[in-house]
């Protein structure tokens, strides 16, 4: 019999995520890792949190490590390489791993990447000048907190980041953008400034590649709050100068139009992502394709986890540059692909997966028998665009019924949708469609949502659904500045281009008055940084097609966004074919008379030296193509209220919190995919749809949900129905139970943070995994630190393990809590009652809380306790709140030291006014 | 519901001078909902009393007990087994609760830990506002469902007064003029005609004028 075991090669974030996801879906998994520890590259990185979370995603690694090492279904083998593979006749492979042989049904390669070897650009002086380090070196130096000067052994008063080292560089054979380095440098720049507030930070860059929900905000903050200078230049050389050991950076100053030199204490090379050196051998072992740069190539770009070798899948950066969040999501996608293939191969019934609710950040398992509840395996899909239809298709493949609710009169949405997909929606008996309908009300909780949909002519349909996928897309509209041009014939929206007919397609019909027989096109991509990567591909394609028709082409954009695979090549191609790219700082002006004239300041036409006005370029355009900006659909905030889900930056669905990427919302069982959670390229929207369908199916697909995690419970006898918990639960997991006349926690929907228990004025709520009695039993007269499981506790453990000077030796009493939101005012007061001279609470950064707002509640409570202490004449500084990232053991030590210092200085709370 | 607010600790400590055994008694109804005196607040106050004693080098024994409603004989009866051991009972119930306990346990020294403030609602989580004065002669039918007795700073029946500016009351910018609200509401309902009829002077005999009030329903009496 064929082994059903799945082998995952590489325990970086992608491999760990794949293994975790497969295990949650009931598979047995072996995770092979060449190094002696799991975690991959990112396990060496630092949390870049400053006063708040900077969304670097590094803390996701800690959750993954904890999960894969604690799940019995996952066998972890470290220090092992994959030495050979032989395909088995019945499918699957016999693998040789460290001298052992093992059979498996499928292999997921998650072997990651290698950072570009910076000595491959000798002119930048890496390995020669001690002032030159790589971003990887800086990650390590930032880790654990502590003084940077000490760790790096040099001053850091002025720091330069040099971007695109080993990326976007044909000289070293890397004609692609590494996608992650702009954002990591930005975050590191902030982290450096946070450690050394007087440091001056300069970033030498080509184009800023935004990623995440609100990259523009991060960049603005870096510029405005941290004074980070962005200079658009690619330094040609780094040389040491003088005996102060500083490094001189040679660059072409875009403002002066001349070569300049600047000295820095530290030059950080933002090394890019290169294929792993063993990738080629692994590709040969399985007969995989690799792309021109050496990354594993999927058989079909639309399904990036599937390779041309049967039973072999890929996840993470081994398939091309990806950041951590993308690699984690990639792991889900790979798990989905494995399970689908296996279900198909075994010709089993659909819904062959053995499912459990899986996992989420912050889950604490409840020992004992899981509670099994009947759930509906129908999934409500809001929006019948491509993402909604893809979700429905995948749900049907996974054995669920999908009900699509589409507001418009037909399916298809903005992109229209491939006819095969439309036909599938039509034919598939597991897909029902309600057009001209909208969701009016949603009651219930995950597993048993009750949806009321209003259709044409006031027709009302009730749908019972286990989960909801929101795929309502976004609204694309010309940016404010160009909106009044929209009615002109010679102004076209980028996404409407194909539909309207390419203006340059007709050749002679366009009476262009320009050379080359064609006309002159201006393509203006002036969108927000979070939108740019979703539209730039289209812009480049438009430019190339206009060039091919013999037109002159100008592309105006603040940044050239090319992180998507292949786009750098298209960009170079377009430039090679004569397109002029103007990276402007100030918005271009359009003079719209009988003809169009676009005026733009081109910083690269800075005139001669001494001329400080950038050159103005006036372009008489036959056609102006303007990329649309993405806005939330007009009904988004109403829908958010109906669904009780949160909106994030710019009003799109989903909080700006790394723990919820890519498709989770604050409520279990409600997923947001594609444009409704922010501007998304079509491929991203489809990716989202597949991941969400998979997660929904894993949750409710079998019709049964096993709740094996710890939740809150309300004692109805003590509940006064004050509604506090219902209003405060970040996950909206509590409803009024009409029969019991009390609040009731939906066990399926509860994430187990304990926030409600610590807000309830009646002390009617108990969190099973961490009861008040359990907490109080741990309170002692020692200085106490309440630590969140996901952040400070991890840091505390590292700090305590790190030697005799550790805080444990000094007698700090560390009390773990699932979320700092579980720490109640009473717990803190009790600690003082017991004799603690000082107490600290440590949780995640703002916007980094695994339960969204638990840390904010905790912070507020600490403030309240401080003022309560003051009322009894006790020094308020005895109670303290800290934000501590999971890898910040030094920060933890510092916080603990500070707290213990307060305790020493103020002494015990006792008898000082004795009388 | 009845909205209350805990007294300052200084005031409470002054009341408790000389008491070394104190029972903090909570109520599980209104004051739980308005977060002034439910089980949690009992725990907080008890802790603070112990801490204050610790600070002063005194010893104090603080007990905690919360009953469903302090304004019911049967519920306060549940305090009977413990109450004897204390020098004082610090009730976190509203004034009715404090008095119920005092009446039920003649020998106990019962002290109020909260100030009973008003009949109101949580305007939002963490903020309560007054809605009704219990005047005994409700006129909401004529005022668009907005009470001028409780919500007009001067309890005017024929408002607004000259101090209504931009919808705000002259007493404080934080107070919305009740008469502005009444006018807007009636306008929206198309019932401005209701304002054309003057209110006669209010019959305060239905309020405190006739002494403590009483409501009786024969049919329910046992
Ligand atoms: C300097 C730098 C900083 C970065 N900072 C950030 C950041 O702040 N935020 C962010 O989101 N992203 C960041 N990234 C990107 C991030 O590193 C990647 O997204 C992530 O590590 C990809 O995860 P992965 O699992 O695909 O690969 P990896 O992390 O590379 O893991 C692959 C694992 O596979 C193992 N392996 C390889 N071959 C074999 C084999 N044959 N047998 C067994 N095991 C094998 C490796 O030992 C490794 O443990 C950064 C990248 C760089 C270069
Ligand atoms: S909390 Fe997490 S995502 Fe936020 S900065 Fe720290 S490691 Fe990065
Ligand atoms: S442009 Fe691309 S390769 Fe260059 S630093 Fe930014 S993300 Fe990296
Ligand atoms: S917070 Fe407590 S008292 Fe209020 S509704 Fe919830 S369980 Fe009931
Ligand atoms: S607040 Fe947290 S513990 Fe309470 S019900 Fe909501 S998710 Fe569960
Ligand atoms: S009119 Fe009297 S009873 Fe009616 S709401 Fe106002 S104060 Fe209360």
């Amino acid at each position: 019999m064929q082994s059903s075991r799945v082998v995952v090669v590489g325990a970086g974030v992608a491999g760990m995520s794949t293994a975790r996801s497969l295990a949650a879906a009931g598979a047995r998994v072996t995770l092979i890792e060449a190094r002696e520890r799991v975690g991959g590259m990112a396990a060496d990185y630092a949390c870049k949190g400053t006063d708040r979370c900077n969304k670097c995603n590094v803390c996701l690694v800690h959750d993954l490590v904890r999960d894969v090492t604690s799940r019995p279904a996952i066998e972890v083998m470290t220090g092992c390489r994959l030495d050979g593979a032989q395909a088995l006749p019945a499918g699957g492979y016999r693998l040789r791993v460290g001298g052992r042989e093992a059979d498996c049904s499928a292999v997921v390669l998650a072997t990651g990447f290698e950072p570009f070897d910076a000595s491959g650009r000798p002119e930048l002086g890496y390995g020669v000048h001690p002032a030159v380090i790589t971003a990887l070196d800086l990650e390590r130096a930032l880790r654990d907190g502590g003084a940077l000067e000490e760790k790096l052994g040099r001053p850091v008063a002025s720091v330069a980041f040099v971007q695109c080292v080993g990326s976007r560089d044909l000289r070293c054979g890397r004609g692609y953008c590494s996608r992650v380095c702009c954002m990591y440098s930005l975050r590191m720049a902030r982290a450096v400034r946070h450690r050394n507030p007087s440091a001056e930070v300069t970033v030498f860059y080509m184009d800023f590649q935004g990623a995440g929900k609100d990259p523009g905000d991060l960049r603005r903050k870096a510029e405005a709050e941290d004074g980070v200078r962005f200079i658009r230049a690619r330094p040609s050389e780094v040389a040491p100068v003088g005996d102060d050991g500083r490094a001189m950076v040679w660059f072409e100053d875009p403002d002066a139009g001349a070569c300049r030199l600047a000295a820095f204490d530290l030059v950080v090379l933002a090394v890019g992502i290169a294929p792993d050196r063993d990738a080629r051998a692994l590709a040969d072992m399985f007969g995989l394709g690799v792309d021109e740069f050496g990354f594993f190539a999927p058989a079909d770009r639309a399904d990036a986890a599937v390779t041309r070798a049967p039973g072999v899948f890929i996840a993470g950066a081994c398939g091309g540059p990806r950041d951590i969040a993308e690699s984690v999501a990639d792991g889900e996608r790979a798990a989905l692909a494995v399970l689908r293939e296996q279900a198909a191969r075994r010709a089993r019934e659909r819904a062959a997966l053995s499912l459990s609710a899986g996992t989420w950040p912050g889950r604490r398992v409840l020992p004992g028998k899981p509670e099994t509840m009947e759930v509906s395996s129908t999934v409500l899909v809001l929006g019948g665009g491509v993402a909604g239809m893809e979700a429905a298709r995948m749900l049907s493949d996974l054995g669920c019924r999908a009900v699509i609710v589409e507001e418009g009169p037909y399916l298809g949405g903005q992109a229209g949708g491939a006819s095969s997909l439309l036909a599938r929606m039509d034919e598939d008996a597991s897909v029902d469609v309600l057009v001209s309908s909208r969701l009016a009300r949603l009651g219930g909780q995950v597993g048993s949502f009750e949806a009321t949909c209003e259709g044409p002519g006031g027709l009302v349909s009730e749908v019972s659904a286990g989960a909801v996928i929101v795929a309502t897309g976004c609204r694309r509209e010309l940016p404010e500045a160009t909106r009044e041009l929209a009615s002109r014939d010679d102004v076209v929206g980028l996404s409407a281009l194909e539909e309207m007919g390419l203006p340059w397609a007709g050749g002679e019909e366009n009476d262009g008055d320009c050379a080359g027989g064609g006309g002159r096109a201006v393509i203006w991509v002036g969108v927000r940084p979070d939108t740019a990567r979703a539209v730039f591909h289209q812009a480049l394609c438009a430019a190339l097609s206009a060039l091919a028709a013999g037109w002159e082409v100008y592309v105006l954009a603040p940044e050239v966004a090319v992180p998507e695979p292949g786009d750098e090549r298209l960009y170079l191609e377009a430039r090679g074919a004569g397109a002029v790219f103007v990276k402007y700082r100030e918005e271009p002006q359009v003079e719209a008379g009988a003809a169009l004239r676009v005026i733009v300041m081109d910083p690269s036409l800075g005139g001669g030296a001494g001329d400080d006005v950038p050159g103005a370029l006036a372009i008489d355009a036959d056609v102006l193509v303007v990329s649309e900006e993405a806005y939330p659909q007009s009904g988004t905030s109403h829908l958010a209220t109906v669904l009780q889900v949160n909106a994030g930056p710019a009003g799109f669905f989903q909080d700006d919190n790394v723990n919820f990427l890519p498709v989770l919302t604050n409520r279990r069982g409600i997923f947001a995919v594609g444009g409704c959670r922010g501007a998304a390229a079509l491929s991203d929207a489809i990716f989202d749809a597949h991941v969400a369908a998979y997660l929904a199916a894993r949750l409710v697909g079998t019709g049964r949900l096993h709740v094996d995690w710890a939740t809150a419970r309300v004692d109805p006898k003590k509940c006064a129905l004050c509604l506090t918990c219902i209003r405060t639960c970040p996950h909206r997991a509590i409803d009024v139970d009409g029969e019991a006349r009390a609040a009731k926690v939906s066990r399926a929907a509860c994430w187990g943070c304990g926030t409600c228990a610590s807000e309830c004025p009646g002390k009617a709520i108990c969190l099973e995994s961490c009861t008040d009695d359990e907490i109080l039993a741990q309170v002692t007269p020692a200085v106490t630190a309440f630590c969140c499981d996901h952040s400070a506790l991890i840091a505390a453990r590292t700090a305590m393990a790190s030697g005799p000077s550790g805080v444990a030796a000094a007698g700090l009493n560390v009390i773990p809590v699932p979320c700092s939101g579980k720490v109640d005012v009473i717990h803190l007061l009790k600690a003082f009652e017991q004799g603690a001279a000082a107490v600290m609470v440590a949780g995640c950064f703002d916007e980094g809380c695994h339960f969204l707002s638990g840390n904010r509640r905790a912070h507020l409570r600490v403030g309240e306790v401080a003022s309560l202490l003051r009322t009894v004449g006790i020094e308020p500084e005895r109670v303290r709140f800290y934000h501590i990232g999971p890898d910040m053991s030094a920060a933890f030590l510092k916080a603990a030291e500070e707290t213990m210092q307060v305790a020493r200085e103020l002494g015990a709370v006792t008898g000082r006014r004795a009388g | 519901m009845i909205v209350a607010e805990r007294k300052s600790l200084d005031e409470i400590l002054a009341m408790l001078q000389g008491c070394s055994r104190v029972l903090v008694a909570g109520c599980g109804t209104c004051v739980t909902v308005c977060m002034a005196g439910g089980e949690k607040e009992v725990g907080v106050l008890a802790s603070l009393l112990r801490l204050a004693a610790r600070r002063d080098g005194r010893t104090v024994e603080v007990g905690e007990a919360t009953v469903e409603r302090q304004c019911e004989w049967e519920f306060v009866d549940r305090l009977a087994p413990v109450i004897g051991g204390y020098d004082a009972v610090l009730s976190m119930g509203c004034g009715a609760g404090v008095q119920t306990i005092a009446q039920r346990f003649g020998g106990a020294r019962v002290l109020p830990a909260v100030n009973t403030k008003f009949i109101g609602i949580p305007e939002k989580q963490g903020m309560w506002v007054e809605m009704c004065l219990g005047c005994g002669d409700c006129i909401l039918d004529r005022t668009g469902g907005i009470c001028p007795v409780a919500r007009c700073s001067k309890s005017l029946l024929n408002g607004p007064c000259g101090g209504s500016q931009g919808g705000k009351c002259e007493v404080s910018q934080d107070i919305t003029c009740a008469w502005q609200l009444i006018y807007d509401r009636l306008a929206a309902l198309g019932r401005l005609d209701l304002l054309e009829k003057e209110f006669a002077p209010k019959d305060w005999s239905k309020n405190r004028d006739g002494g403590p009030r009483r409501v009786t329903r024969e049919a329910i009496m046992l």
Side-chain angles (χ1 to χ4, degrees):
Chain A
M1 208 195 90
Q2 192 206 333
S3 165
S4 67
R5 185 167 285 280
V6 180
V7 170
V8 179
V9 186
V13 276
M16 292 190 293
S17 166
T18 312
R20 176 174 77 175
S21 184
L22 283 165
R28 283 184 307 138
V29 186
T30 301
L31 182 57
I32 302 175
E33 169 55 50
R35 300 194 217 187
E36 293 302 331
R37 58 133 181 82
V38 297
M41 292 295 296
D44 282 341
Y45 302 164
C47 165
K48 280 81 142 194
T50 48
D51 303 327
R52 53 178 43 241
C53 167
N54 280 313
K55 321 281 158 57
C56 75
N57 296 313
V58 168
C59 53
L60 300 185
V61 182
H62 296 274
D63 290 327
L64 283 164
V65 169
R66 185 165 63 170
D67 242 42
V68 295
T69 50
S70 66
R71 271 182 187 272
I74 303 174
E75 178 195 14
V76 181
M77 296 172 64
T78 50
C80 288
R81 271 187 177 278
L82 185 60
D83 302 319
Q86 179 196 342
L88 296 173
Y93 290 86
R94 174 156 299 162
L95 302 181
R96 257 185 303 115
V97 180
R100 255 174 60 183
E101 283 199 339
D103 288 358
C104 64
S105 59
V107 182
V108 180
L109 298 177
T111 49
F113 70 101
E114 255 169 53
F116 175 75
D117 177 2
S119 54
R121 292 269 314 275
E123 71 282 11
L124 297 180
Y126 183 66
V128 182
H129 315 318
V132 182
I133 64 171
T134 68
L136 208 61
D137 301 327
L138 184 57
E139 285 277 12
R140 291 184 183 128
L142 284 167
R143 232 181 118 76
D144 291 348
L148 280 176
E149 287 89 344
E150 245 166 62
K151 289 186 158 177
L152 292 165
R154 50 183 312 103
V156 288
S158 61
V159 180
F161 284 84
V162 176
Q163 296 305 110
C164 300
V165 174
S167 315
R168 304 187 68 185
D169 191 350
L170 293 177
R171 283 170 300 174
C172 43
R174 304 196 183 277
Y176 61 90
C177 163
S178 287
R179 196 179 169 95
V180 300
C181 12
C182 279
M183 290 306 286
Y184 79 54
S185 294
L186 189 61
R187 292 167 178 133
M188 281 199 241
R190 297 211 74 192
V192 166
R193 277 279 304 192
H194 188 65
R195 301 281 175 86
N196 294 45
S198 63
E200 286 174 7
V201 182
T202 306
V203 179
F204 292 102
Y205 78 122
M206 294 179 24
D207 295 288
F208 174 69
Q209 312 294 347
K213 280 191 86 81
D214 202 357
D217 178 58
L218 215 54
R219 176 160 176 191
R220 270 188 304 279
K221 282 186 180 138
E223 285 178 298
E225 292 170 16
D226 301 329
V228 174
R229 264 196 318 162
F230 285 81
I231 298 180
R232 199 189 290 279
R234 184 159 213 176
S236 52
E237 197 184 339
V238 178
V241 169
D243 26 69
D244 61 354
R246 303 224 288 173
M248 301 298 277
V249 174
W250 283 97
F251 65 100
E252 189 168 336
D253 185 346
D255 292 320
C259 239
R260 288 250 314 259
L261 256 180
F264 298 94
D265 293 330
L266 192 68
V267 175
V268 183
L269 306 182
V271 287
I273 286 184
D276 184 76
R277 78 192 64 182
D278 293 341
R280 181 74 62 170
L282 275 174
D284 291 344
M285 192 185 295
F286 290 102
L288 302 188
V290 294
D291 70 12
E292 60 177 308
F293 306 114
F295 295 108
F296 296 144
D300 168 7
R301 247 183 78 175
D303 204 352
V306 180
T307 69
R308 67 181 190 212
V312 181
F313 304 87
I314 50 180
C318 62
R322 280 168 185 61
D323 67 18
I324 292 171
E326 290 168 330
S327 302
V328 173
D330 233 24
E332 302 277 12
R333 168 163 64 179
L336 163 67
V338 170
L339 294 167
R340 282 177 77 210
E341 197 208 49
Q342 297 201 338
R345 178 144 36 112
R346 290 181 207 153
R348 283 221 224 128
E349 290 262 79
R350 296 207 293 189
L353 319 179
S354 137
L355 305 163
S356 80
T359 184
W360 62 88
R363 172 176 180 276
R364 276 191 178 193
V365 175
L366 186 70
K369 202 165 159 285
E371 181 180 317
T372 299
M373 39 177 95
E374 302 284 321
V375 295
S376 161
S377 59
T378 297
V379 178
L380 191 69
V381 179
L382 303 178
V386 173
M389 290 192 290
E390 280 289 345
R393 176 173 77 88
M394 191 60 72
L395 285 164
S396 156
D397 283 354
L398 293 168
C400 295
R401 172 171 164 255
V403 178
I404 302 182
V405 181
E406 165 59 46
E407 215 159 45
Y410 41 79
L411 295 179
Q414 288 177 7
S419 53
S420 62
L421 191 56
L422 288 166
R424 167 81 188 261
M425 297 297 106
D426 232 18
E427 291 154 10
D428 195 325
S430 300
V431 179
D432 291 331
V433 181
L434 301 171
V435 289
S436 304
S437 300
R438 52 179 206 95
L439 178 72
R441 265 186 308 283
L442 185 78
Q445 291 284 1
V446 57
S448 55
F449 287 118
E450 292 296 335
T452 309
C453 304
E454 286 171 2
L459 189 77
V460 171
S461 20
E462 306 282 347
V463 182
S464 304
V468 180
I469 294 177
V470 187
T472 47
C474 58
R475 190 162 49 86
R476 291 198 180 275
E477 229 176 80
L478 293 187
E480 204 68 56
T482 49
R483 232 168 261 174
E484 79 257 24
L485 302 173
S487 56
R488 288 181 66 110
D489 287 347
D490 48 3
V491 177
V492 199
L494 178 62
S495 68
L497 205 55
E498 300 257 331
E499 207 180 302
M500 313 261 300
L502 296 173
W504 38 82
E508 280 84 355
E509 282 152 49
N510 279 295
D511 46 12
D513 53 3
C514 271
R520 190 178 293 124
V522 173
I523 303 175
W524 179 6
V525 194
V527 292
R528 292 190 310 263
D530 56 316
T531 310
R533 72 160 59 175
V535 298
F536 225 92
H537 178 76
Q538 273 176 307
L540 292 170
C541 292
L544 284 166
S545 91
L547 289 164
W551 279 45
E552 222 179 281
V553 174
Y554 290 82
V555 180
L556 318 183
E559 311 284 345
V560 168
V562 286
E564 295 302 322
D567 281 359
E568 170 74 359
R569 193 172 33 220
L570 296 184
Y571 167 54
L572 295 177
E573 216 176 285
R575 274 198 3 194
V580 178
F581 284 78
V582 180
K583 301 177 187 179
Y584 62 78
R585 282 183 216 150
E586 288 148 45
E587 289 266 293
Q589 300 298 313
V590 181
E591 287 173 9
L596 276 177
R597 165 171 283 207
V598 183
I599 297 160
V600 61
M601 299 295 184
D602 184 350
S604 74
L605 296 178
D611 179 0
D612 43 56
V613 189
L617 202 62
I619 313 163
D620 292 314
D622 297 297
V623 170
L624 173 61
V625 179
V626 187
S627 67
E628 291 89 348
E629 184 58 274
Y631 302 96
Q633 295 284 23
S634 46
T636 299
S637 62
H638 178 250
L639 187 55
T641 315
V642 171
L643 295 168
Q644 295 189 62
V645 299
N646 300 342
F652 289 100
F653 284 118
Q654 203 184 38
D655 298 86
D656 191 7
N657 180 312
V658 298
N659 296 295
F660 292 77
L661 294 173
V663 295
L664 300 190
T665 68
N666 54 308
R667 288 189 81 188
R668 173 154 314 116
I670 303 186
F671 305 91
V673 305
C676 75
R677 64 177 197 94
L682 189 60
S683 55
D684 292 335
I686 293 173
F687 174 46
D688 280 6
H690 290 179
V691 171
Y694 168 57
L695 295 178
R698 209 169 69 185
L699 206 53
V700 297
T702 56
R704 235 169 265 117
L705 184 62
H706 305 290
V707 179
D708 64 349
W709 58 90
T711 68
R713 282 182 192 267
V714 175
D715 175 353
K717 290 199 292 296
K718 290 176 97 179
C719 171
L721 257 186
C722 72
L723 307 180
T724 295
C725 56
I726 295 177
R727 295 180 187 134
T728 331
C729 170
H731 305 293
R732 301 275 170 217
I734 313 182
D735 295 299
V736 176
D737 177 348
E739 262 165 50
R741 301 233 273 155
K744 183 168 202 258
V745 175
S746 157
R747 302 205 64 212
C750 169
W751 293 47
C753 63
T755 300
C756 55
S758 297
E759 296 282 330
C760 173
K763 294 273 84 192
I765 309 183
C766 163
L767 181 68
E768 295 166 324
S769 63
C770 182
T771 65
D772 289 329
D773 289 345
E774 278 163 17
I775 291 183
L776 293 178
Q778 295 171 69
V779 168
T780 68
V783 175
T784 302
F786 290 94
C787 292
C788 160
D789 270 2
H790 305 285
S791 50
L793 186 69
I794 299 171
R797 293 223 162 110
T798 318
M800 292 179 145
S802 69
S805 69
V807 284
L812 184 75
N813 177 25
V814 172
I815 301 183
V817 282
C819 169
S820 54
K822 175 67 190 107
V823 182
D824 193 342
V825 169
I826 291 188
H827 302 147
L828 299 171
L829 291 174
K830 284 281 183 205
F832 287 108
E833 262 190 54
Q834 287 282 312
V839 178
M840 61 180 267
V841 178
C844 306
F845 288 96
D846 277 351
E847 296 190 349
C849 175
H850 285 60
F851 306 95
L852 291 164
S853 54
N855 58 351
R856 215 163 51 233
R857 309 289 333 153
H859 201 162
L860 286 167
R861 286 185 214 131
V862 165
E864 189 182 353
V865 170
S867 41
L868 287 173
L869 288 178
R870 191 181 284 121
T871 65
V872 283
I874 295 174
E875 300 80 356
E877 60 269 33
R878 288 178 187 268
V879 62
R880 323 174 66 81
F881 188 90
Y882 294 96
H883 297 289
I884 291 174
D887 74 291
M888 295 184 154
S889 57
F892 181 84
L893 276 176
K894 187 158 162 259
E897 186 40 52
E898 228 169 74
T899 308
M900 290 194 281
Q901 181 63 25
V902 168
R904 277 193 295 274
E905 269 168 21
L906 300 178
V909 183
T910 179
R912 284 173 313 111
R913 283 203 230 152
Chain B
M1 94 185 113
I2 291 176
V3 177
E5 185 177 36
R6 205 197 70 215
K7 286 176 178 285
S8 80
L9 215 74
D10 283 346
E11 196 182 340
I12 292 174
L13 288 171
M15 279 191 259
L16 288 173
Q17 204 109 57
C19 301
S20 59
R21 285 171 308 159
V22 179
L23 177 66
V24 182
C27 168
T29 309
C30 296
V31 287
T32 295
V33 176
C34 73
M35 309 204 176
E39 183 169 329
K40 170 157 181 171
E41 291 304 318
V42 167
V44 170
L45 181 56
S47 260
L48 290 173
L49 294 178
R50 291 185 203 110
L51 282 170
R54 173 185 267 275
R55 173 206 64 189
D56 296 344
R58 287 183 285 117
T59 50
V60 61
E61 186 196 327
V62 185
E64 303 173 29
T66 301
V67 298
E68 283 82 342
R69 277 203 302 283
Q70 283 190 12
C71 53
E72 301 279 4
W73 305 119
E74 288 86 340
F75 289 139
V76 297
D77 266 351
R78 298 196 181 159
L79 298 174
V82 292
I83 204 163
Y86 294 97
D87 303 338
V89 179
L90 193 52
S91 161
M92 300 196 85
C94 71
V98 180
Q99 296 179 59
T100 312
I101 299 175
Q103 199 165 330
R104 166 67 182 76
F105 302 102
R109 189 168 159 215
V110 187
L111 306 167
V114 305
N115 292 319
T116 306
K117 309 218 47 158
F118 49 76
I119 300 173
I121 60 161
E123 186 167 85
K124 55 184 183 190
Q125 183 71 7
M127 183 201 275
W128 295 266
V129 292
E130 179 161 19
M131 297 301 259
C132 171
L133 216 68
C135 75
D137 186 17
C138 192
I139 54 166
L140 287 172
D141 57 322
R142 291 174 58 193
T143 56
I146 292 155
C147 173
V149 183
R151 296 169 69 186
C152 163
S153 302
K154 303 168 186 172
S155 294
L156 293 180
L157 291 189
N158 295 291
C161 70
S164 175
Q165 288 287 322
K168 295 290 175 193
C169 171
E170 68 177 340
V171 169
S172 156
Q173 280 297 302
D174 293 338
I175 302 171
T176 306
C177 168
W179 277 101
Q180 180 77 51
L181 293 174
I182 292 167
Y183 181 88
D184 293 345
R185 186 78 205 277
L186 290 177
L189 293 170
R191 290 305 311 273
L192 285 175
D193 62 299
L194 285 172
L195 294 180
E196 279 159 22
K197 210 163 85 204
E198 254 175 56
F199 276 98
K202 191 164 178 65
D203 176 6
W204 285 105
S205 73
K206 292 180 173 164
N207 187 253
R208 298 285 307 136
D209 212 32
R213 289 169 285 175
R214 171 172 297 170
V215 175
T216 31
R217 285 191 52 196
E218 303 279 349
I220 306 171
M221 290 168 103
L222 300 174

